[in-house]
Amino acid sequence: MPLPDDPAAWHQLAAAGGWQVAVADTGNAMAHDVIATRCAGHAGQTAAWCALPFCIPVLCTAATGPGVLALQLAVKAAVAEGLPLQRMVIALAKTAEGRLPSPVRAAAAMLRSHVYAVVTIPYDPHIRTYGMSDAHRIRPKTLAAGNDLARAVLASAHQVWGDPLPAALAPAPLSSSPHVASGKVPA
């Protein structure tokens, strides 16, 4: 379903009714967006996503040295911009069997003090080779990590907005005016 780039379009879709959850998988390069828009003096795509009601950002990266370095830079940029890190969840996707490399373990420990949760997704060669076709062949550890990730997102939402979550508000129609100012990012 093609939607406009405006993150509020996803909120509109969720508020249309019949949806329990809306998941938006973006190609938004968070650190670049935060830094570039801060230099330009306006709110960016990342801030717009974080400003949506009941939004729990999930940041994903490969569980490698370069992957967590990029993630740490993104988190530092988000801290500087005042984005709601305390409700973010991080998914570290392992790229091979075995223990996480020590730089990844150290980065995960540092990130845990800034975000709601850090979840490690195990390496699953079937997904790497075939994607989600034959989903019944996904390893139990991978399924458990998916459940852990979903539970972390829900627990973050409950911590911020209560349990049970309040009913979603019906948002106002999207404005086509480029001069509409974005609101402050809620905690």
Side-chain angles (χ1 to χ4, degrees), residues 11-12 14-16 53-54 166-172:
H11 182 61
Q12 294 280 38
F54 309 115
L169 301 173

Side-chain angles (χ1 to χ4, degrees), residues 3 5 7 10-11 20 27 29 46-47 64 75 77 100-101 106 125 131 145 148 153 158 161 172 176-177 185:
L3 285 173
D5 289 336
W10 288 94
H11 182 61
Q20 294 285 327
T46 302
T64 62
V75 167
L100 290 173
D148 291 345
V153 168
H158 285 160
W161 296 290
S176 59
S177 169
V185 177

Side-chain angles (χ1 to χ4, degrees), residues 10 23-28 49 60:
W10 288 94
V23 176
D25 183 6
T26 72
N28 179 21
W49 279 107
C60 306

Side-chain angles (χ1 to χ4, degrees), residues 6-178:
D6 184 353
W10 288 94
H11 182 61
Q12 294 280 38
L13 177 65
W19 298 88
Q20 294 285 327
V21 173
V23 176
D25 183 6
T26 72
N28 179 21
M30 183 179 139
H32 173 74
D33 175 61
V34 170
I35 293 168
T37 55
R38 184 176 188 139
C39 291
H42 59 81
Q45 196 80 338
T46 302
W49 279 107
C50 290
L52 290 178
F54 309 115
C55 174
I56 303 296
V58 178
L59 306 179
C60 306
T61 194
T64 62
V68 295
L69 178 60
L71 182 64
Q72 286 174 312
L73 292 172
V75 167
K76 286 178 183 179
V79 167
E81 194 60 22
L83 297 180
L85 263 65
Q86 69 278 6
R87 61 179 151 118
M88 289 184 181
V89 175
I90 292 179
L92 296 175
K94 291 177 73 175
T95 59
E97 296 287 353
R99 272 180 63 130
L100 290 173
S102 58
V104 175
R105 289 193 312 270
M110 182 279 296
L111 291 167
R112 280 188 181 92
S113 65
H114 293 289
V115 299
Y116 183 79
V118 177
V119 177
T120 301
I121 309 299
Y123 174 72
D124 193 327
H126 182 78
I127 292 176
R128 180 128 31 228
T129 305
Y130 301 104
M132 292 302 290
S133 65
D134 296 327
H136 66 281
R137 296 184 67 189
I138 295 172
R139 290 180 173 179
K141 283 182 177 180
T142 306
L143 293 173
N147 285 331
D148 291 345
L149 185 59
R151 277 194 291 278
V153 168
L154 184 59
S156 176
H158 285 160
Q159 179 178 338
V160 176
W161 296 290
D163 184 8
L165 292 171
L169 301 173
L174 288 175
S175 170
S176 59
S177 169

